[in-house]
Amino acid sequence: LLPMIISEHPCHQQVSYVCIIRTVTTSVLPLPPKPKMKMAANVNQNIAAQNEQARRIGDEDSNMVQWRGNLVPEKEAKALRHVFDNLQDHFGHQRSDPRVKFNHVSLAHPGHGQKWHGDVDFTYDIDGDHCKLNYIGMDVCVDLTPKLVHKHGQPMLKDYGRSWVYVYLPQLTIDKVKSYAKAGTGWEVSDEGFIGDPNHKLVAIEANLNHQCGEEPSFWDIQDQDASGGRGSISSSRIGSVQEVTAYSHQQRIHRGFGIFSVSMEVEGTPNCKPTPGTWDEAKLCFTLVSVRAWGITERVAPIVYAPSKWH
């Protein structure tokens, strides 16, 4: 068991304990949706991406195996089990450094606006085997509490719980994520999109949610220890999508657990001048929540209920 300090306020310091767990499931479930850049469709880019994916699969892993009822390349399945099932090598307070590397990001301009975009992928060192994956995990608190509405009945935080939610995590954790991003991509990461609570040394992230049918992020409830008795083995059950769980009044709390995210990067720049790392430019990290493993609730984190003040 490893402690994670949720609040460092001197009046009510809380320490929760997390354990390395293995999710046991026999259900046939859809794969998590692949990250999508917020940019205009481009046929040539799509063809190039498909060719690159086919080349990568052919070069790295010609064997296809089952993972949750889906056929995926063997190395990808190994990484999926490592991150989604065994909950290994994720970022968290008082955890050892995860054996994961942020890979170089290829930025593209959508043809309009003043920002370049790129999806981040990761390489996990799993017993000496280097496996690529589009996801990372972090110890977080996921905020499913109701938000304030205007006097005319309109929500003050539009589409909250449907297309985005707040997740809270220690400042030390996000600092480590930023350092990994700098080491792997070369980009300095800005504080844009992070909402700080320096009194409690916490940070809130506005995490995107896929809300297309069949692509919603999953919400799992961690239950009792698995009867198989494996080291750190705990069973969990899927209780719905994050959007479905948010609609249940008894679930409208702040849930402690493990969040799995896809990550993209945004860098300001004009269409005819591609930004490069190592200059004065900074990159913004954008997080999309794809799955939650919840092991409890907390009353020690004050939720954001309307538009907050931001450091930037």
Side-chain angles (χ1 to χ4, degrees):
L1 293 179
L2 298 174
M4 182 178 101
I5 299 176
I6 300 299
S7 170
E8 297 190 3
H9 194 284
C11 295
H12 49 72
Q13 186 181 74
Q14 179 193 2
V15 179
S16 63
Y17 288 83
V18 299
C19 60
I20 297 176
I21 62 178
R22 173 174 62 84
T23 301
V24 177
T25 178
T26 58
S27 302
V28 176
L29 298 173
L31 284 169
K34 297 292 184 182
K36 299 178 181 178
M37 290 193 299
K38 298 179 180 178
M39 54 191 304
N42 185 299
V43 173
N44 291 333
Q45 288 181 350
N46 289 342
I47 293 174
Q50 291 170 2
N51 290 339
E52 171 62 19
Q53 183 182 30
R55 183 199 64 77
R56 177 178 62 81
I57 292 174
D59 290 348
E60 295 184 1
D61 199 344
S62 59
N63 296 323
M64 304 293 285
V65 298
Q66 290 276 345
W67 181 75
R68 296 191 184 175
N70 300 275
L71 274 177
V72 296
E74 187 174 12
K75 276 195 173 183
E76 183 177 352
K78 186 173 184 178
L80 287 166
R81 288 192 296 267
H82 190 73
V83 174
F84 282 79
D85 299 340
N86 301 328
L87 307 185
Q88 296 290 307
D89 283 328
H90 58 283
F91 293 85
H93 187 62
Q94 295 186 353
R95 290 187 177 277
S96 58
D97 291 343
R99 296 164 297 176
V100 60
K101 177 181 177 292
F102 281 61
N103 296 322
H104 172 75
V105 177
S106 179
L107 296 175
H109 196 277
H112 57 85
Q114 299 295 314
K115 290 187 177 181
W116 292 67
H117 305 263
D119 291 327
V120 185
D121 63 14
F122 312 92
T123 299
Y124 287 86
D125 182 354
I126 307 174
D127 299 326
D129 200 4
H130 295 88
C131 305
K132 287 187 177 181
L133 195 64
N134 293 320
Y135 312 102
I136 59 169
M138 298 188 292
D139 287 330
V140 295
C141 293
V142 181
D143 183 359
L144 303 186
T145 62
K147 305 305 174 187
L148 292 182
V149 298
H150 291 290
K151 60 182 179 181
H152 299 297
Q154 296 298 319
M156 297 181 72
L157 297 176
K158 186 178 180 181
D159 281 341
Y160 190 84
R162 178 178 177 271
S163 63
W164 67 283
V165 292
Y166 284 121
V167 297
Y168 310 118
L169 65 164
Q171 178 71 56
L172 289 174
T173 300
I174 200 63
D175 287 344
K176 179 162 286 190
V177 171
K178 290 167 65 175
S179 71
Y180 270 57
K182 172 67 165 63
T185 69
W187 285 101
E188 293 282 354
V189 177
S190 72
D191 287 327
E192 184 179 358
F194 303 151
I195 304 158
D197 179 0
N199 292 328
H200 299 94
K201 300 181 181 179
L202 295 175
V203 173
I205 296 175
E206 300 174 7
N208 299 314
L209 303 176
N210 287 322
H211 50 86
Q212 294 81 4
C213 182
E215 295 188 0
E216 299 93 342
S218 58
F219 192 101
W220 298 69
D221 183 32
I222 295 174
Q223 300 171 324
D224 297 329
Q225 184 165 342
D226 183 20
S228 64
R231 184 174 65 87
S233 59
I234 290 181
S235 64
S236 63
S237 61
R238 188 182 189 277
I239 60 177
S241 68
V242 170
Q243 289 89 338
E244 291 169 337
V245 174
T246 302
Y248 304 149
S249 59
H250 66 285
Q251 297 283 8
Q252 293 174 351
R253 313 287 290 277
I254 296 179
H255 297 261
R256 296 184 293 111
F258 175 80
I260 302 172
F261 301 83
S262 63
V263 184
S264 62
M265 184 174 283
E266 293 181 356
V267 183
E268 292 188 0
T270 58
N272 58 351
C273 184
K274 185 175 182 178
T276 57
T279 62
W280 58 271
D281 292 318
E282 290 184 323
K284 174 187 176 183
L285 291 182
C286 304
F287 295 85
T288 298
L289 182 63
V290 300
S291 189
V292 178
R293 304 294 194 275
W295 53 66
I297 60 172
T298 180
E299 305 287 349
R300 298 299 181 92
V301 176
I304 298 172
V305 294
Y306 64 97
S309 299
K310 300 183 181 181
W311 281 353
H312 62 276

